[in-house]
Amino acid sequence: MIPRQPYAPTPHSYVPNSTLSATINLDEEVKLAETRAERDLQDSLAEIFSIIVTIDELEKAFLKDAIPEADYTEICERALKQYKSLIADETVAKAFVGLEEFKAEWDLEVPRATERIRVGMPSTAVTASAGPAAAPAATGSTSGALILEATQDFITFLDALRLGLLAKDQLHPLLTDVIQSVNKVTDRDFENRGKIVQWLITLNQMKATEELSEEQARELELDINSAYQGFKNTLT
């Protein structure tokens, strides 16, 4: 079925459907974007399409150990930032509707990208090692600076909650700083580390200006305080 919209994402990875192409009348005038705004919208939607496909392929490659962990993390973080930046635009968001609607509109089968976008972080930031191969908490002068950075990020986040900052766009970046700085110190799991990740996922699924309720804020503060204690226990 030919999509109803006058635009269609056409990234380099798009492969035309020959059956669909056969139903198109080549003598029929194709409706193109009439204004700069329409062209910009088409470009943005095409870029979103390409980013989603790229993330899915990236996840497949990482699962097959076909890409170094550092490269995977860098590319995935950049792709997720680009995706979030694009859908933050009100016009683009209105045309995009939502990830599930966009996938259905363009017949996208991208389960790995769907999960990664839902989580909002590379899998390397989500999963901590638990076995004997896990790296110990860093030691030495360099590690001292990393531990201080992680400690400051915990305190900054908790202070933000106590100051009444409850919006997703206020809290998500700060909590992202926490998990990233913690991961620089140790890749071992620790008590309540998973709560940091779960709250990151919760915040990621909220709209930019959506706020936590007072009850959620209290629960979040308790969980992050518990995670902070768990983190400090790994240093002793």
Side-chain angles (χ1 to χ4, degrees):
M1 180 179 72
I2 300 175
R4 294 185 299 276
Q5 282 81 347
Y7 55 80
T10 54
H12 67 274
S13 57
Y14 173 69
V15 179
N17 183 313
S18 57
T19 304
L20 177 60
S21 300
T23 66
I24 298 175
N25 183 354
L26 298 180
D27 294 325
E28 184 178 347
E29 182 179 355
V30 178
K31 184 179 180 181
L32 301 176
E34 297 177 351
T35 67
R36 174 64 181 272
E38 289 175 345
R39 289 193 297 272
D40 288 346
L41 177 59
Q42 291 178 13
D43 289 344
S44 295
L45 292 169
E47 191 170 350
I48 290 173
F49 184 104
S50 184
I51 289 170
I52 293 171
V53 173
T54 297
I55 292 175
D56 202 68
E57 293 301 321
L58 181 66
E59 292 294 314
K60 292 177 185 177
F62 184 62
L63 288 172
K64 295 177 181 177
D65 290 327
I67 182 173
E69 184 174 305
D71 291 345
Y72 160 80
T73 302
E74 179 184 355
I75 296 170
C76 190
E77 285 180 344
R78 184 168 64 245
L80 289 170
K81 285 180 181 178
Q82 291 171 339
Y83 173 87
K84 292 174 184 177
S85 177
L86 285 164
I87 63 173
D89 181 271
E90 185 176 348
T91 302
V92 175
K94 185 177 180 180
F96 178 71
V97 183
L99 180 57
E100 292 303 321
E101 291 82 358
F102 190 79
K103 284 163 44 183
E105 184 70 33
W106 304 113
D107 196 24
L108 279 171
E109 294 290 339
V110 284
R112 293 172 181 83
T114 301
E115 177 62 13
R116 188 56 47 222
I117 290 169
R118 183 187 74 84
V119 172
M121 297 175 291
S123 63
T124 47
V126 174
T127 307
S129 302
T139 58
S141 58
T142 301
S143 74
L146 295 177
I147 292 169
L148 178 60
E149 179 184 355
T151 299
Q152 290 174 335
D153 286 339
F154 268 113
I155 293 172
T156 298
F157 181 81
L158 290 168
D159 283 347
L161 280 176
R162 291 162 187 154
L163 288 171
L165 303 183
L166 302 177
K168 178 259 184 82
D169 60 358
Q170 296 171 322
L171 295 177
H172 190 273
L174 297 177
L175 195 54
T176 298
D177 289 343
V178 170
I179 196 67
Q180 289 178 342
S181 59
V182 162
N183 287 343
K184 292 176 184 177
V185 176
T186 179
D187 64 358
R188 284 182 175 173
D189 201 3
F190 55 83
E191 187 176 4
N192 295 312
R193 180 189 184 279
K195 291 184 177 181
I196 303 175
V197 174
Q198 287 303 314
W199 276 109
L200 277 166
I201 294 172
T202 298
L203 289 168
N204 186 61
Q205 294 176 325
M206 294 168 59
K207 295 180 180 178
T209 57
E210 188 176 351
E211 294 189 352
L212 297 174
S213 66
E214 291 186 6
E215 182 179 352
Q216 285 177 310
R218 286 194 296 270
E219 183 181 355
L220 174 56
E221 183 177 355
L222 287 172
D223 285 346
I224 301 306
N225 261 317
S226 298
Y228 183 31
Q229 293 303 318
F231 170 71
K232 290 195 291 186
N233 290 340
T234 66
L235 307 177
T236 58

